[in-house]
Amino acid sequence: MKLREALQISHRPQPDGEPFSLDLVTGFEPLHLRVFLSAHVRMRLRTDRQVLVRTGLFGDFSGNLERTIQAAGAGPVIVTLEWADLHPLLGWREPAFVAAGFDEPVFLQEIETRLGQWSRILAGADQIRIVLALPVLPLPPWVGRNLKGQRSRLVLELDSLLSQFARDAARHGVRVIANPVMPAWDPAKHLMTGFPYNPVFTDALANRIAEVAMPAAPKKGLITDLDHTLWRGIVGDDGSDGVHWDLDHQARVHGWWQQFLAALAGQGTLIGVASKNDLEPVAAALARKDLLAPVEKLFPIEAHWLEKTESIHRIAAAWNVGLNSVVFVDDNPLEIDAVRQAMPEVECFFFPANDPAGVAELLERLRELYGVESVRDEDLLRVASLRQRVEIEEHLVGSGSGAEDRFANLGSRLKLDLRRPAAPRALELINKTNQFNLNGSCWDEADWQSWSARPEARVALLGYEDRYGPLGNIAVLAAEQQGENLMIRSWVMSCRAFSRRIEFATLQCLLECWQCQTIQFDWRKTERNEPTAMALRTLVGELPASGILEISVAALRKSLPLLYLDNCEVLEN
Amino acid sequence: MNATRSTEDRLSDCFASVFPDVPVGNLRMASAESTPGWDSIALVTLIAATEEEFETALPTEAYPDLTSFQAFLRQLEGIQ
């Protein structure tokens, strides 16, 4: 992005509402970084708004950090550290006297003390999304005594102190960015204006910060081909022992791919297989003990001679996710093209089996698409519960007198977490759930935090388990209590929890916790929320396309189907 | 595409991005004295936007004289 484009984006009038605010902590004049940041963050907002970037005082990094953290709002805080903020001797712009008797240990102790102070400030701000950019400017040559071709001990000590600071910050939830690798410094402008970076680097830095401060939802599933992708060789021709993924057979890149899939599966990403093959040799190869990919996590396996597009449809249906959450990887460009044309929502990647550098690049790119900040219990349960879903639905959705008995014997146990602030999983579920979703509305993290801190806001995060096992946290209900009325703004439930009447049990339990006489649902029909519509029809009858649906608590209680809860645990502050 | 547009038009675009509230017709008469918001930050931003648009570096010794649209234009014409 050019500076002029960034200015245009950041100045563009917003339709209505408050601007989005964030804080930028620097010791240098923030100048163009402020503009680029405003533009890049605006482009990532779910609803278009101007971005107000609040900055501090020139040359006072410590004070700016302290004041900003104390007064931080719901928006992210961006901290951009440079060497000069640690000590004037480490900067280029302000004069610093280098005494003949420069005492290195005392100097390093001073730096360590300063970093320790900042570390404590950051540690006390774990409710704020903080993004930290570490120094990129070169250290001046008067720091350390370099011998040719050798790094000085002082510089190594400084690097070590800084790494320790970054590690401690990351342990407290601070997002430390990987700085863009490119020339950053513009010495002439730095001396003239106090702003150190050239425009190209500033654009890249602001983009990187915005990516981390306002992360996109990760992809949910990856569909891999087998022959010449998961392994080298054609399993139908070469047999299950004739396909390889090791160094000895010049097939290590396929081992990389398998290890990568194992890592994704370990964080809860869904991994499916789409292969034009007979099932028998595929099953034999996948049963090999030396397979590095987690075969128990490969679900479903579509091995047949139908088109790949058909396989992808089937896999997405089994996962119950939209095609835009799916990535497809294949070594055959024709298959890639066919999928791209028929399913433009699916992101497709060519597996360059004969190009290790290309495979490494592919893995790096995919790593970004599947980046998650933490792995929760429900992420690890996902594949198992998807496998069980069909079985459970067949078991429960039968007709006749036995159906109620089956519900009664489910052994349902709910856990309602009403604590403030709501766990991060609540917002994550609201923003990624499509089918059981009251209105499809998404929230920016800052808006969510600001709204949920209001006294009238109520948030319930629902955990569930039954005799089939735990599903983890699978539903969220966010409402506003206005006197005797409860207005439900967001209500979502994971598709893994369908067919168990959990949605109705949620309402029944919440009515005990949130006293009210009427309930309103902020309903809007979307392309995919028919499951929500079905539940609401049970409660209020026919639905409009959108609008506020109101029902008295007494009427709602009468509308609820029979519910069988063994236990409902409520967690409150 | 830029090659077909005059220096004045391209400079006007730069000024418009820094001073979005100034009517387009008035940009060519803009000066530090007459333009609300023309401060040191705006000047540095104007310089950076101009350098980016024309892929050139304005000499730092000229900065104090860059107090109007016409001064920027003269400087650019001197370089080209």
Side-chain angles (χ1 to χ4, degrees):
Chain A
M1 185 187 293
K2 299 272 185 160
L3 177 61
R4 195 150 67 77
E5 293 172 69
L7 286 162
Q8 285 165 348
I9 292 169
S10 59
H11 287 154
R12 196 170 60 216
Q14 68 182 53
D16 51 38
E18 293 289 309
F20 181 89
S21 296
L22 62 87
D23 291 283
L24 174 60
V25 176
T26 63
F28 55 80
E29 163 57 52
L31 204 65
H32 309 321
L33 182 57
R34 190 179 183 165
V35 175
F36 278 113
L37 206 47
S38 170
H40 280 291
V41 169
R42 184 169 188 172
M43 289 170 64
R44 299 181 79 85
L45 289 176
R46 292 174 192 276
T47 51
D48 184 41
R49 285 186 291 169
Q50 285 192 327
V51 175
L52 176 67
V53 181
R54 292 184 293 243
T55 56
L57 301 174
F58 178 72
D60 185 16
F61 179 90
S62 271
N64 291 339
L65 181 66
E66 196 166 355
R67 283 187 294 273
T68 300
I69 297 298
Q70 276 174 1
V77 172
I78 315 302
V79 180
T80 308
L81 179 64
E82 274 303 341
W83 290 113
D85 301 319
L86 285 161
H87 195 287
L89 188 66
L90 305 179
W92 295 86
R93 203 160 181 275
E94 303 302 324
F97 179 65
V98 187
F102 175 69
D103 190 329
E104 201 172 291
V106 171
F107 175 75
L108 286 170
Q109 184 59 51
E110 195 180 327
I111 300 290
E112 190 171 7
T113 302
R114 187 156 298 172
L115 286 168
Q117 287 166 351
W118 297 343
S119 199
R120 282 189 290 280
I121 292 173
L122 295 175
D126 54 359
Q127 293 302 318
I128 306 170
R129 181 174 284 263
I130 299 174
V131 179
L132 172 64
L134 294 172
V136 290
L137 298 187
L139 278 165
W142 53 81
V143 178
R145 294 178 294 278
N146 289 34
L147 292 170
K148 192 175 178 187
Q150 184 181 328
R151 298 193 73 193
S152 83
R153 198 171 57 80
L154 177 60
V155 172
L156 289 170
E157 294 279 4
L158 288 168
D159 281 342
S160 167
L161 290 174
L162 198 65
S163 296
Q164 193 179 319
F165 167 68
R167 185 203 61 197
D168 290 347
R171 283 179 177 169
H172 288 103
V174 172
R175 283 80 171 170
V176 183
I177 70 160
N179 280 320
V181 181
M182 60 175 70
W185 193 31
D186 184 336
K189 293 289 194 302
H190 188 193
L191 294 177
M192 180 68 70
T193 69
F195 180 67
Y197 307 139
N198 66 57
V200 175
F201 176 80
T202 310
D203 172 44
L205 177 65
N207 186 36
R208 182 62 54 85
I209 290 171
E211 282 174 347
V212 176
M214 322 284 292
K219 297 282 185 186
K220 294 176 183 171
L222 187 149
I223 299 171
T224 180
D225 174 42
L226 295 178
D227 294 338
H228 294 304
T229 302
L230 196 72
W231 48 60
R232 178 176 293 277
I234 299 173
V235 70
D237 295 342
D238 304 328
S240 60
D241 291 330
V243 293
H244 304 286
W245 45 88
D246 59 351
L247 267 180
D248 290 347
H249 295 87
Q250 292 85 47
R252 181 69 186 113
V253 293
H254 303 281
W256 293 355
W257 182 238
Q258 293 191 19
Q259 284 178 254
F260 182 71
L261 295 182
L264 288 186
Q267 67 176 38
T269 302
L270 301 165
I271 309 291
V273 170
S275 173
K276 285 185 176 172
N277 256 314
D278 290 323
L279 184 57
E280 196 178 328
V282 165
L286 290 177
R288 272 176 52 173
K289 298 288 183 210
D290 57 340
L291 198 75
L292 301 168
V295 68
E296 72 286 358
K297 297 281 177 68
L298 300 180
F299 170 78
I301 294 170
E302 291 284 334
H304 44 63
W305 296 97
L306 297 175
E307 292 302 320
K308 294 276 172 105
T309 49
E310 176 62 25
S311 296
I312 292 170
H313 268 304
R314 290 180 183 196
I315 293 169
W319 289 343
N320 227 323
V321 303
L323 292 174
N324 58 357
S325 300
V326 172
V327 165
F328 171 59
V329 179
D330 199 303
D331 71 300
N332 184 340
L334 289 177
E335 298 286 11
I336 297 271
D337 281 348
V339 174
R340 275 194 183 130
Q341 282 187 12
M343 307 166 126
E345 311 96 312
V346 176
E347 205 157 344
C348 299
F349 291 91
F350 171 66
F351 189 87
N354 295 318
D355 173 16
V359 175
E361 199 177 313
L362 171 68
L363 300 189
E364 197 61 41
R365 174 79 185 103
L366 291 173
R367 181 75 264 173
E368 291 174 356
L369 290 178
Y370 290 95
V372 292
E373 293 190 25
S374 59
V375 179
R376 303 192 175 92
D377 290 345
E378 48 270 17
D379 297 322
L380 302 176
L381 296 168
R382 192 168 290 133
V383 172
S385 52
L386 282 169
R387 281 185 196 271
Q388 284 178 349
R389 202 186 59 171
V390 175
E391 181 193 343
I392 292 168
E393 284 179 355
E394 284 170 358
H395 179 72
L396 294 177
V397 191
S399 58
S401 58
E404 284 304 319
D405 289 343
R406 289 191 288 270
F407 274 109
N409 293 326
L410 252 182
S412 300
R413 291 180 296 282
L414 286 185
K415 186 186 281 184
L416 279 180
D417 187 348
L418 309 181
R419 290 173 297 184
R420 288 162 177 262
R425 168 73 173 161
L427 178 60
E428 186 187 300
L429 261 177
I430 288 176
N431 283 345
K432 78 176 188 182
T433 306
N434 296 314
Q435 295 181 90
F436 197 99
N437 189 324
L438 182 62
N439 47 37
S441 295
C442 294
W443 298 68
D444 285 311
E445 186 182 20
D447 293 337
W448 170 255
Q449 288 189 357
S450 172
W451 175 84
S452 58
R454 289 192 203 166
E456 70 273 22
R458 305 279 183 272
V459 179
L461 177 62
L462 187 105
Y464 177 87
E465 67 175 296
D466 57 28
R467 70 186 180 87
Y468 289 97
L471 293 185
N473 290 315
I474 41 78
V476 182
L477 198 145
E480 286 168 18
Q481 179 113 38
Q482 295 149 341
E484 299 282 277
N485 181 56
L486 191 71
M487 162 67 86
I488 299 178
R489 294 281 180 208
S490 289
W491 185 17
V492 300
M493 185 172 75
S494 164
C495 60
R496 294 182 290 120
F498 286 0
S499 307
R500 291 164 159 101
R501 300 184 183 170
I502 298 175
E503 59 276 38
F504 301 118
T506 308
L507 289 176
Q508 187 184 50
C509 291
L510 283 176
L511 288 177
E512 305 301 322
C513 304
W514 298 341
Q515 299 296 319
C516 60
Q517 294 300 316
T518 57
I519 293 190
Q520 293 178 318
F521 297 90
D522 185 5
W523 158 251
R524 188 171 67 245
K525 184 167 175 51
T526 70
E527 283 183 13
R528 301 190 60 203
N529 68 352
E530 180 55 24
T532 324
M534 286 168 62
L536 288 173
R537 280 190 208 104
T538 305
L539 303 176
V540 300
E542 280 311 299
L543 305 177
S546 67
I548 304 297
L549 312 176
E550 185 171 312
I551 183 170
S552 72
V553 168
L556 187 136
R557 284 188 198 279
K558 282 183 190 166
S559 308
L560 291 173
L562 276 174
L563 298 170
Y564 306 93
L565 273 182
D566 280 16
N567 185 37
C568 180
E569 182 186 354
V570 179
L571 303 176
E572 291 181 287
N573 294 101
Chain B
M1 193 175 89
N2 282 341
T4 63
R5 300 185 66 224
S6 71
T7 302
E8 210 169 337
D9 287 345
R10 290 164 63 193
L11 184 60
S12 181
D13 288 346
C14 297
F15 270 65
S17 63
V18 178
F19 301 116
D21 298 330
V22 175
V24 176
N26 296 351
L27 286 171
R28 290 163 206 232
M29 294 172 289
S31 70
E33 289 167 356
S34 68
T35 308
W38 186 313
D39 56 15
S40 58
I41 300 285
L43 173 62
V44 174
T45 309
L46 267 177
I47 290 169
T50 305
E51 289 181 337
E52 194 179 59
E53 169 65 20
F54 293 92
E55 295 176 357
T56 188
L58 299 172
T60 52
E61 61 272 19
Y63 287 6
D65 299 327
L66 295 174
T67 56
S68 68
F69 181 94
Q70 294 303 323
F72 269 84
L73 190 58
R74 280 195 298 276
Q75 191 63 47
L76 284 171
E77 286 169 346
I79 292 171
Q80 288 170 344

